[in-house]
Amino acid sequence: YLYTRIAADTAGVGIAAIGNGLDNLKLFYPNIEYKEGGERKVIPANKKCGPHFQSYAFFRTERCLAQCILAPTPTLLTPFMFKLKAEDVMIHFRRPFFQFKGKNPHGIRRHTAWHTTPTYEYFANILESIKRKGILGRVYLVAEPHQRDDDIVVKLEEVWNATWVSGSPNQDHYLSRVSPTFIGSFGTFTWTIVYLSQAKTIHLPIVSNMTYGSTW
């Protein structure tokens, strides 16, 4: 939705949801007003902006606009926000609940969901590097509720004393955006957090089987 909304606003056109797209938008974005029809040209809401999907470079000029459109409301403020200190770290962990079988539409063979999940070592190496610099504060972690008992989540809690944050998806998203240091996974949730982030330092994975990532 973010990609489509920014592209539509920048181009001065509207959004059209085709198929079950409108039902999905209403489900995930209930606070947005949806109007039927209209005379403006439209961009299908179930498209991902083609080759610009998850492209930070392409959307860089619209970042301030996106921050205004998606500015927080009072319901997004959680107690954790007021506990964050300058050296605290927020981790977004994401393991897909489905598995790829055979080849995906891009012709890449994927056997398991692991291919879109960073390893534990990826998170540990980043935390260790921050610790060596003497600037590691508290470690917080956001993920979907059903991933509460994932092996990587449990190990992050045991080894790094990570604190599980369980708010609404919007609350977790905004809390991650304002965290001083952010460590991301793959997926749209991480992408939009980073795109709207106010963090001083951001760490992102490159390839799922790598034990290190990129630092911004």
Side-chain angles (χ1 to χ4, degrees):
Y1 179 83
L2 175 65
Y3 316 135
T4 311
R5 178 74 269 168
I6 295 173
D9 285 353
T10 304
V13 300
I15 293 179
I18 58 179
N20 63 350
L22 183 58
D23 292 335
N24 289 336
L25 285 176
K26 288 181 177 179
L27 175 63
F28 290 104
Y29 304 94
N31 297 324
I32 295 175
E33 180 182 354
Y34 299 94
K35 296 181 179 179
E36 300 293 339
E39 298 180 357
R40 296 195 301 172
K41 294 181 180 179
V42 297
I43 295 177
N46 62 343
K47 300 298 181 182
K48 295 180 178 178
C49 296
H52 307 301
F53 177 58
Q54 293 193 353
S55 168
Y56 292 103
F58 179 77
F59 288 113
R60 67 186 183 279
T61 57
E62 283 78 33
R63 186 166 179 267
C64 290
L65 171 64
Q67 288 176 324
C68 291
I69 293 173
L70 300 173
T73 61
T75 58
L76 297 185
L77 306 181
T78 67
F80 285 102
M81 272 196 59
F82 304 100
K83 296 179 181 179
L84 287 176
K85 297 182 179 179
E87 297 178 348
D88 289 347
V89 176
M90 178 66 71
I91 294 174
H92 169 229
F93 175 80
R94 176 248 194 184
R95 184 188 294 281
F97 55 84
F98 59 88
Q99 293 188 343
F100 294 100
K101 295 182 179 180
K103 293 183 178 180
N104 69 6
H106 303 289
I108 301 173
R109 179 170 290 280
R110 286 175 167 176
H111 298 286
T112 67
W114 181 259
H115 285 78
T116 51
T117 303
T119 63
Y120 166 76
E121 288 72 22
Y122 157 78
F123 297 105
N125 287 342
I126 295 171
L127 292 171
E128 188 62 45
S129 68
I130 298 173
K131 183 180 179 181
R132 285 198 299 269
K133 297 175 184 176
I135 55 174
L136 181 62
R138 296 193 63 177
V139 178
Y140 295 92
L141 192 151
V142 295
E144 294 181 67
H146 70 273
Q147 299 179 356
R148 182 70 175 82
D149 298 323
D150 187 276
D151 291 345
I152 295 179
V153 171
V154 171
K155 197 166 184 179
L156 287 169
E157 290 178 319
E158 292 177 348
V159 178
W160 296 97
N161 197 28
T163 299
W164 174 271
V165 177
S166 85
S168 69
N170 286 338
Q171 288 174 329
D172 289 351
H173 194 277
Y174 184 65
L175 180 63
S176 300
R177 283 159 53 184
V178 299
S179 298
T181 299
F182 177 72
I183 303 175
S185 294
F186 295 101
T188 307
F189 200 76
T190 275
W191 192 95
T192 51
I193 287 171
V194 172
Y195 183 68
L196 301 169
S197 177
Q198 302 172 35
K200 295 183 297 183
T201 307
I202 296 170
H203 303 271
L204 293 175
I206 301 173
V207 180
S208 59
N209 61 358
M210 285 188 177
T211 59
Y212 60 89
S214 61
T215 301
W216 299 16

